[in-house]
Amino acid sequence: MDVTLSINGTDHRLDLDPRVTVLDALRHHLGLTGTKKGCDHGQCGACTVLLNGRRVNSCLTLAVMHDGDEITTIESLGSPDALNPLQDAFVRNDGFQCGYCTPGQIMSATAMLQEAEDGWPSYISRSLETDPDLTDEEIAERMSGNLCRCSAYPRIRQAIAEVRDARGMAAE
Amino acid sequence: MTEAYLRPDTLDEALAVLADGETRIAAGCTDLFAATARKILPGRTLDISRIPTLRGILHDDSGLTIGATTTWTDIATAELPPACRGLQLAAREVGGPQIQNRGTIAGNLCNASPAADGVPPLLTLDAQVVLRTKDGERSLPLDQFLTGPRRTAREAGEIVVAIRVPAEALEGAGHFLKLGARRHLVISIAMVAVRVSLVEGIVQQAAVAVGACGPVAVRLTQLEKALVGQPLDPHLVTDDLVAQALSPIDDVRADAPYRAHASAELVRRALAQVTA
């Protein structure tokens, strides 16, 4: 069926089987292979994209459900010559080994920083009512939807903390 | 109708589609693909995620109404009474953040996993499940809606439109704890929700529910009776009082005696933390 997907600010008209996921539409129909397929059932976070600014697993949602939604992928964040702050921090802090989970980690971190700025609580936030401090522990908790089989977690957290500090977000 | 995918804008249209023949309902889709054994989704899919009247939380004198497609993030970030704190904590532990942004409360109930995070807190809130067909509406207590692992009382042609919590169940404060190999992206070994109301230190209402320790999550009514009328004391929670209400299984995650003991300890901890 016909669907128009708005990806990184550009409309793409596609004729898709309704069972195609957003992930497969990106990779197989649009050639946007920055978004990775890890587990393909919502456990690893490698396929994380932003849907209207919020992070979701693109393997767990059908492309036809998102006619009119704004989808943002890793391809929109920066370029090899001009990395965005999170990409730059991941490179300088060695926030990866094999790099396969990295696009998902960076998309997830992009949304996570926004969630914290919007005052969303995590499970470990002391209060559901007051704005949380984005401590290193909070970063780890909030990044729990993204697995890294190389276990680069300490460096991933370090890279994100650097961007948190550069944005002047409270860490207490 | 032969379309494989339908996305109506109104509930009436959705109910008409459902009355027309076998159809799978899709909302957040976080369990849909995982629960489909075949490589592709067979049959017709009815997407209810764009029906505005099904999403959102209404709090009035009669209680709380949570729309079916309200997401875990919607719940966690809403301003709700302290009695709902257990539900809000559970909302921040479902899957991971990406799952919480899509997964819906009614989807969690209809998927009917024995380890569904939403069920124990909703049991402590005396939740009712509101179901609608094109001809009418009925309401079932949550423990009657859930009839077994992966089984519910929902009939073909029915859509869960909302979860209702009566005003009387919004007294007191709630809490939620779960135990798994790690906190996120795993299926739980045991989970506990409590809700307690106190007057001058004496327990007036006590609601305790345990999940992942039987075919469906259950309220621990014997234990609740032992708590009411006493000062709140977690030591009143004996392993026996908890274990007698449960029927845990042995599996790769934990054996049955461990689950029973862990549940009792989680209940004690939840009661110790609920008024903190």
Side-chain angles (χ1 to χ4, degrees):
Chain A
M1 60 188 279
D2 288 331
V3 58
T4 301
L5 293 180
S6 175
I7 296 159
N8 304 327
T10 304
D11 282 351
H12 298 269
R13 292 196 62 180
L14 296 170
D15 182 17
L16 293 178
D17 185 290
R19 298 164 297 192
V20 172
T21 61
V22 169
L23 176 60
D24 285 341
L26 290 171
R27 293 183 58 87
H28 297 271
H29 296 265
L30 293 164
L32 293 170
T33 53
T35 306
K36 302 304 182 196
K37 182 180 283 192
C39 68
D40 208 23
H41 59 255
Q43 292 196 322
C44 77
C47 67
T48 302
V49 300
L50 307 189
L51 181 67
N52 301 325
R54 301 303 186 192
R55 51 182 162 164
V56 304
N57 291 321
S58 63
C59 72
L60 286 187
T61 194
L62 299 171
V64 292
M65 296 177 88
H66 299 294
D67 208 319
D69 287 333
E70 187 62 45
I71 295 165
T72 309
T73 71
I74 188 75
E75 282 87 353
S76 75
L77 290 197
S79 65
D81 301 327
L83 299 176
N84 99 335
L86 271 168
Q87 290 169 319
D88 183 50
F90 268 69
V91 171
R92 280 187 296 95
N93 288 281
D94 275 338
F96 48 79
Q97 268 186 50
C98 80
Y100 195 79
C101 72
T102 311
Q105 298 280 0
I106 290 177
M107 294 313 293
S108 191
T110 300
M112 184 277 286
L113 291 169
Q114 187 61 50
E115 290 166 11
E117 284 182 336
D118 291 345
W120 290 11
S122 78
Y123 182 80
I124 63 166
S125 302
R126 266 166 299 176
S127 163
L128 290 173
E129 286 82 35
T130 57
D131 285 356
D133 291 324
L134 195 59
T135 59
D136 289 4
E137 193 189 3
E138 277 269 4
I139 291 176
E141 168 71 18
R142 288 164 183 266
M143 290 299 293
S144 54
N146 291 79
L147 302 184
C148 169
R149 292 322 296 153
C150 307
S151 214
Y153 299 111
R155 299 301 182 95
I156 292 170
R157 189 171 56 197
Q158 192 176 306
I160 297 169
E162 197 177 284
V163 176
R164 169 201 66 197
D165 294 342
R167 283 167 68 157
M169 296 173 71
E172 204 138 310
Chain B
M1 262 186 271
T2 54
E3 296 101 312
Y5 171 83
L6 298 130
R7 188 176 74 192
D9 299 319
T10 67
L11 182 57
D12 285 344
E13 289 171 76
L15 290 168
V17 169
L18 213 51
D20 187 48
E22 195 176 328
T23 307
R24 176 188 309 95
I25 300 174
C29 289
T30 53
D31 278 315
L32 185 62
F33 305 147
T36 302
R38 290 157 74 169
K39 202 164 172 74
I40 54 171
L41 289 174
R44 253 182 3 159
T45 299
L46 172 66
D47 174 5
I48 59 167
S49 68
R50 298 289 183 101
I51 301 173
T53 53
L54 288 183
R55 183 169 175 182
I57 303 175
L58 179 71
H59 186 193
D60 61 21
D61 291 345
S62 69
L64 203 65
T65 304
I66 307 173
T69 60
T70 303
T71 66
W72 294 113
T73 296
D74 292 340
I75 290 168
T77 56
E79 283 189 31
L80 298 176
C84 298
R85 188 178 168 82
L87 183 63
Q88 291 190 290
L89 287 170
R92 269 294 166 246
E93 283 202 286
V94 178
Q98 291 95 321
I99 303 284
Q100 294 158 16
N101 281 342
R102 292 292 296 167
T104 66
I105 187 144
N108 192 243
L109 302 186
C110 290
N111 188 52
S113 161
D117 291 292
V119 173
L122 286 173
L123 285 174
T124 67
L125 292 166
D126 297 334
Q128 298 266 331
V129 179
V130 185
L131 298 127
R132 196 172 298 172
T133 64
K134 70 180 180 52
D135 301 316
E137 184 176 294
R138 66 173 176 143
S139 207
L140 282 176
L142 179 55
D143 62 353
Q144 290 176 30
F145 175 77
L146 298 168
T147 55
R150 307 276 172 197
R151 287 201 311 273
T152 72
R154 187 181 75 84
E155 290 171 9
E158 280 185 318
I159 292 179
V160 172
V161 293
I163 320 300
R164 277 206 194 117
V165 177
E168 310 81 69
L170 292 173
E171 301 284 322
H175 201 65
F176 175 81
L177 292 173
K178 80 175 180 185
L179 175 70
R182 63 193 293 269
R183 190 182 289 137
H184 290 276
L185 304 174
V186 293
I187 296 171
S188 297
I189 293 167
M191 58 177 77
V192 161
V194 301
R195 183 178 61 83
V196 174
S197 72
L198 299 173
V199 172
E200 292 173 356
I202 302 299
V203 175
Q204 307 296 308
Q205 289 184 32
V208 178
V210 174
C213 285
V216 291
V218 289
R219 282 276 290 268
L220 274 53
T221 47
Q222 288 299 110
L223 172 62
E224 291 170 3
K225 279 182 196 151
L227 294 172
V228 170
Q230 309 281 335
L232 183 60
D233 179 4
H235 295 105
L236 293 172
V237 181
T238 62
D239 281 14
D240 283 348
L241 264 176
V242 173
Q244 69 184 17
L246 306 178
S247 46
I249 57 167
D250 292 319
D251 71 6
V252 64
R253 295 177 194 95
D255 63 21
Y258 177 76
R259 280 195 154 92
H261 173 68
S263 299
E265 183 57 29
L266 289 175
V267 173
R268 286 189 283 268
R269 290 182 193 179
L271 290 173
Q273 292 169 27
V274 67
T275 52

